Amino acid sequence: MQSPAFLTISDLWIERGERVLCKGLNFNVSVGEIVRVLGDNGAGKSSLLKVIAGVIPSLEGCIYYFGQDITQDHSRLQQDTLYIGHLSGVKNMLTVEENLRWHCPDVTTDKLHSTLSILGLLPLLSTSIKSLSAGQVRRVALSRLWIQRKKLWLLDEPFVSLDAEGVAILESHMKQHVVAGGVVILTTHQALTSIHSRDIDLLS
Amino acid sequence: MTYTSFLKSECLVLWRRKYDIFNALLFFIMVVVLFPLGVNASPEFLAPAAGGIIWCAAVLAILMSIESMFKEDYSDGSLEQLVVSGLSLPLLVLIKISLQWVAVIFPLLVMMPLLSEMLYLSSGIFWVLVVTLIIGTPSLFLIGAIGSALTVSIKQGGVLLMLLILPFYLPVIIFATSAIQTAQSGLPYSGLLALLLAISLLFLVVSPFMTAISIKASVN
Amino acid sequence: MNWTWFHKLGSPKWFFLWSKSYALPLFFLGSVALVVGLIWGLAFTPADYLQGNSFRIIYIHVPVAILAQSCYLGLGFSGLIFLIWQMKIAPIFIQSIAPIGAVMALIALVSGAVWGKPTWGTWWVWDARLTSVLVLFLLYMGIIGLKNALDDVALANKSVAVIGAVGLINLPIIKYSVIWWNTLHQGATFTLTEKPAMAAEMWIPLLISVIGMYCLVASLVLWRMQSIILEREHRSNWVKQEVMNNGF
């Protein structure tokens, strides 16, 4: 018998407002894969990620995590998932370090510093988020990918407001992640330059 | 994210936002001052009305501080992160409400001796007032959190929040001020305190779940 | 027990087809009962020995006040049902019944004030029943306001359900607190368990107008629900079929 896939999406229907976005979507994701969700604006790329993350409920259909139905209770998958959406998910009133310690309380200071120096944020360690630029805030949000050890990454337009150098750093980190047995599901309008992805097209 | 790290970050945010709470307290004092100036400054009017005045002012100040409870978390995406954290959302909500309650109510209680003196409240009644505030205001925060989560996505949600929530506050205001008035006329008032406590306990059970449902509906 | 009817109720299509034939008869039944009850009550019952002819307004006031509360009860329960079973028909019901309930509460307030003028000498008395109807009216307005302020349908549905369910829990507390706050009021006119203290020729027309009011409101709610269903499902095939066949 074949072992169950990392994530199985079976006959998934998603509704936003009064509009049905996905009709009977099926796909499998196995360990070590980068899945890129494609589709026009409003085709439901973000909604699909949100449904997998458990932010919004699906209209119908099931999601299996290692063969286990998690459609009703997402918490088992959520413990292994890092979701970064359009909104950064970092608090304006807190500093960079405080934000990261909120998301990941058990990170060591060494790890925190090395991560931030990779992303060029080390000088901003105790700067308040509200005085950072959009690109810097995005880097802070993405730095969670280095310090939190989660198997599944759900990234909604992660390259937005990143410069070329930031994109390269992120792509190489994604590659490391999948080589180490992780899974990435992302939406992006940009072509991935250095990594190979499997594409899923949402037809609108 | 863990419950402890959430608690720590919320404490930090509250501390950084201390001026908001300070403003709510100033507003509270302003409303209390309006009554002697606007209605009647004689002890014959103020002493019996003191409980009602303080409670109405406290309700308005609490509504002000509750309105923005989830606003910033909603716009920067931290609310979304709470939903996907895999932790129990009702519990996270309860932590947030409790912190907010402590942050608003303790400064309020500290000002109480001064205000009760200004409103000619006798010292025996003062303690009844303090007890009603301690056991009555949790329900105000718990109910308010539901309304705040429901209106979080509306830009000008403040007035709507008041319209939505104030009717639910009526029993608390009625029982609290009645307890104070009953104490002033020398009758036993413990039954009313028990009712206040019962309402707070009821919403302690109901509110975190309802707030969590509302947050999940709002974050989409 | 067979629960299929309960699940079928969740489907707007099924509900529409099922309810289509009920609204009109209910409307006629309600109108006739209301007219009979009102004419009997307003013209043929003897005057009250204490309040004279002014008591006759109870034939309007009591039915609308009862309906205002019943509507909220229905609203609260369907909110709860929506939160538990995600039944699609529940928010449609809430959306239909809220304005009707608000109008009932408003008529109850106005007729109460008209009744108050000859009875107490003022238009408004902080009487427990009037006050709780006022609170009820505010609750309705809050729900309607929230519904209108939220653009996202799913969010609006959830929100009114939450606030309705919380209201259902809180309404008895509000009512009790208001009654406790002012016990200087007349007791409830109707109780189901005790024999009414009014003379039979007084309460029979009242009963008829209450029943008529229930039927009337039920028919109005059904109509509103049907039009909301048609609007929401206007893209689906069965609606097209329906419009082709019956020419709504």
Side-chain angles (χ1 to χ4, degrees):
Chain A
M1 200 190 123
Q2 207 182 353
S3 65
F6 180 82
L7 202 66
T8 305
I9 308 289
S10 146
D11 190 29
L12 193 73
W13 291 63
I14 302 174
E15 187 188 45
R16 293 312 298 272
E18 296 285 85
R19 236 154 48 88
V20 176
L21 295 177
C22 296
K23 294 179 180 173
L25 187 68
N26 287 294
F27 64 88
N28 280 320
V29 182
S30 28
V31 172
E33 257 191 315
I34 295 181
V35 175
R36 185 161 65 132
V37 183
L38 296 175
D40 303 332
N41 288 331
K45 301 186 293 291
S46 301
S47 302
L48 176 61
L49 290 198
K50 284 182 177 183
V51 168
I52 298 173
V55 179
I56 54 174
S58 59
L59 191 62
E60 241 172 85
C62 292
I63 301 172
Y64 300 94
Y65 178 51
F66 283 123
Q68 200 175 27
D69 188 350
I70 49 121
T71 321
Q72 291 308 317
D73 179 16
H74 270 73
S75 56
R76 223 177 79 80
L77 178 61
Q78 280 169 341
Q79 278 154 12
D80 295 336
T81 302
L82 212 166
Y83 167 77
I84 298 178
H86 281 280
L87 303 166
S88 59
V90 290
K91 293 181 192 242
N92 265 332
M93 298 307 289
L94 301 183
T95 66
V96 173
E97 183 179 5
E98 284 161 354
N99 261 305
L100 293 176
R101 289 209 182 272
W102 161 49
H103 281 299
C104 188
D106 48 4
V107 65
T108 59
T109 313
D110 284 347
K111 178 78 187 157
L112 189 71
H113 285 197
S114 64
T115 302
L116 291 177
S117 63
I118 293 172
L119 288 163
L121 292 169
L122 198 54
L124 305 170
L125 190 65
S126 32
T127 315
S128 181
I129 295 289
K130 62 183 172 209
S131 46
L132 299 186
S133 73
Q136 286 169 324
V137 173
R138 174 103 324 226
R139 280 172 185 241
V140 174
L142 290 172
S143 61
R144 291 172 56 201
L145 297 175
W146 275 262
I147 59 174
Q148 279 179 294
R149 303 211 163 275
K150 301 285 174 111
K151 275 191 221 132
L152 173 63
W153 294 356
L154 296 172
L155 307 176
D156 196 353
E157 301 286 353
F159 302 113
V160 163
S161 64
L162 280 189
D163 51 21
E165 183 213 358
V167 172
I169 295 173
L170 182 57
E171 282 197 4
S172 78
H173 189 51
M174 278 188 204
K175 210 190 295 178
Q176 280 175 20
H177 179 62
V178 292
V179 166
V183 172
V184 181
I185 302 178
L186 77 157
T187 70
T188 180
H189 285 294
Q190 278 164 266
L192 299 171
T193 49
S194 66
I195 46 178
H196 176 71
S197 68
R198 183 156 75 88
D199 292 350
I200 287 173
D201 209 343
L202 296 180
L203 300 167
S204 49
Chain B
M1 199 188 306
T2 61
Y3 294 111
T4 346
S5 77
F6 175 71
L7 182 84
K8 274 185 199 156
S9 71
E10 284 300 316
C11 287
L12 268 172
V13 171
L14 273 177
W15 178 247
R16 302 261 156 84
R17 293 210 149 275
K18 52 186 175 292
Y19 293 105
D20 287 0
I21 292 169
F22 186 69
N23 288 345
L25 292 175
L26 278 181
F27 174 74
F28 169 74
I29 296 175
M30 277 310 300
V31 175
V32 170
V33 168
L34 282 181
F35 280 87
L37 296 181
V39 189
N40 189 341
S42 68
E44 294 75 40
F45 165 74
L46 284 178
I53 294 172
I54 286 180
W55 257 90
C56 289
V59 162
L60 292 176
I62 287 170
L63 264 177
M64 282 191 61
S65 76
I66 276 179
E67 192 219 324
S68 56
M69 194 170 175
F70 298 113
K71 272 264 149 75
E72 199 163 321
D73 290 357
Y74 174 75
S75 54
D76 67 16
S78 352
L79 216 48
E80 202 174 52
Q81 290 296 330
L82 297 188
V83 174
V84 300
S85 64
L87 304 175
S88 150
L89 192 56
L91 200 55
L92 292 173
V93 164
L94 191 60
I95 291 173
K96 195 170 167 82
I97 298 172
S98 317
L99 284 175
Q100 190 93 8
W101 179 72
V102 170
V104 175
I105 286 306
F106 274 82
L108 203 76
L109 288 177
V110 169
M111 292 190 315
M112 239 6 106
L114 178 75
L115 286 171
S116 66
E117 202 61 38
M118 284 162 74
L119 295 174
Y120 308 106
L121 206 62
S122 65
S123 59
I125 306 303
F126 169 75
W127 291 108
V128 182
L129 173 68
V130 168
V131 172
T132 59
L133 282 173
I134 291 175
I135 63 176
T137 48
S139 55
L140 302 187
F141 280 83
L142 290 162
I143 300 169
I146 304 176
S148 179
L150 286 177
T151 53
V152 76
S153 61
I154 305 169
K155 282 223 168 56
Q156 303 290 329
V159 180
L160 185 63
L161 177 71
M162 296 225 179
L163 177 62
L164 214 52
I165 290 306
L166 272 177
F168 294 115
Y169 279 4
L170 280 184
V172 183
I173 300 174
I174 289 174
F175 291 134
T177 52
S178 302
I180 296 165
Q181 278 163 4
T182 319
Q184 276 171 329
S185 45
L187 297 167
Y189 53 86
S190 53
L192 290 164
L193 295 185
L195 278 173
L196 274 182
L197 193 63
I199 296 177
S200 284
L201 289 176
L202 172 70
F203 280 101
L204 189 65
V205 177
V206 173
S207 163
F209 293 98
M210 288 297 180
T211 313
I213 292 174
S214 315
I215 287 176
K216 273 191 182 162
S218 291
V219 176
N220 63 12
Chain C
M1 197 180 151
N2 189 357
W3 281 93
T4 40
W5 64 272
F6 188 73
H7 293 293
K8 272 185 183 167
L9 262 182
S11 146
K13 177 192 171 186
W14 189 87
F15 182 86
F16 182 88
L17 297 174
W18 171 82
S19 68
K20 219 169 53 166
S21 51
Y22 286 90
L24 204 60
L26 267 176
F27 180 75
F28 279 122
L29 190 68
S31 312
V32 169
L34 203 58
V35 167
V36 169
L38 283 182
I39 292 178
W40 188 350
L42 294 179
F44 296 104
T45 35
D48 187 71
Y49 71 100
L50 262 181
Q51 301 184 11
N53 277 323
S54 68
F55 98 98
R56 290 180 198 279
I57 203 163
I58 64 163
Y59 296 109
I60 296 167
H61 177 78
V62 171
V64 290
I66 289 177
L67 255 300
Q69 290 180 30
S70 299
C71 285
Y72 199 90
L73 211 64
L75 189 156
F77 271 113
S78 51
L80 214 55
I81 286 172
F82 184 65
L83 292 185
I84 298 170
W85 289 292
Q86 313 285 325
M87 225 186 216
K88 277 184 105 177
I89 201 78
I92 297 176
F93 177 73
I94 296 178
Q95 197 188 336
S96 315
I97 207 167
I100 295 176
V103 168
M104 290 294 143
L106 190 64
I107 299 175
L109 280 178
V110 172
S111 59
V114 171
W115 188 6
K117 185 66 183 166
T119 315
W120 295 303
T122 54
W123 294 104
W124 182 261
V125 169
W126 287 99
D127 155 77
R129 229 173 331 153
L130 274 183
T131 313
S132 54
V133 173
L134 179 64
V135 175
L136 195 61
F137 177 68
L138 291 176
L139 281 174
Y140 277 123
M141 293 320 281
I143 290 174
I144 296 170
L146 186 65
K147 170 82 186 73
N148 290 339
L150 296 167
D151 301 322
D152 184 83
V153 180
L155 173 58
N157 286 348
K158 246 329 171 2
S159 299
V160 291
V162 165
I163 209 74
V166 174
L168 187 69
I169 298 165
N170 216 10
L171 205 62
I173 305 176
I174 295 178
K175 209 163 154 55
Y176 172 72
S177 71
V178 171
I179 288 172
W180 183 89
W181 165 75
N182 186 345
T183 39
L184 301 167
H185 70 108
Q186 309 187 330
T189 316
F190 258 139
T191 50
L192 287 173
T193 48
E194 289 168 42
K195 198 168 176 286
M198 290 169 95
E201 51 205 334
M202 281 184 177
W203 67 259
I204 287 176
L206 185 55
L207 186 64
I208 293 174
S209 41
V210 168
I211 291 170
M213 205 57 163
Y214 266 107
C215 295
L216 198 65
V217 165
S219 70
L220 291 179
V221 169
L222 283 183
W223 268 324
R224 277 183 60 84
M225 286 175 80
Q226 286 164 6
S227 47
I228 293 172
I229 290 172
L230 283 184
E231 198 186 313
R232 284 200 184 178
E233 311 247 324
H234 68 277
R235 263 180 302 233
S236 62
N237 281 327
W238 71 266
V239 170
K240 285 178 192 148
Q241 201 86 51
E242 193 67 27
V243 176
M244 298 286 268
N245 291 346
N246 298 320
F248 268 86

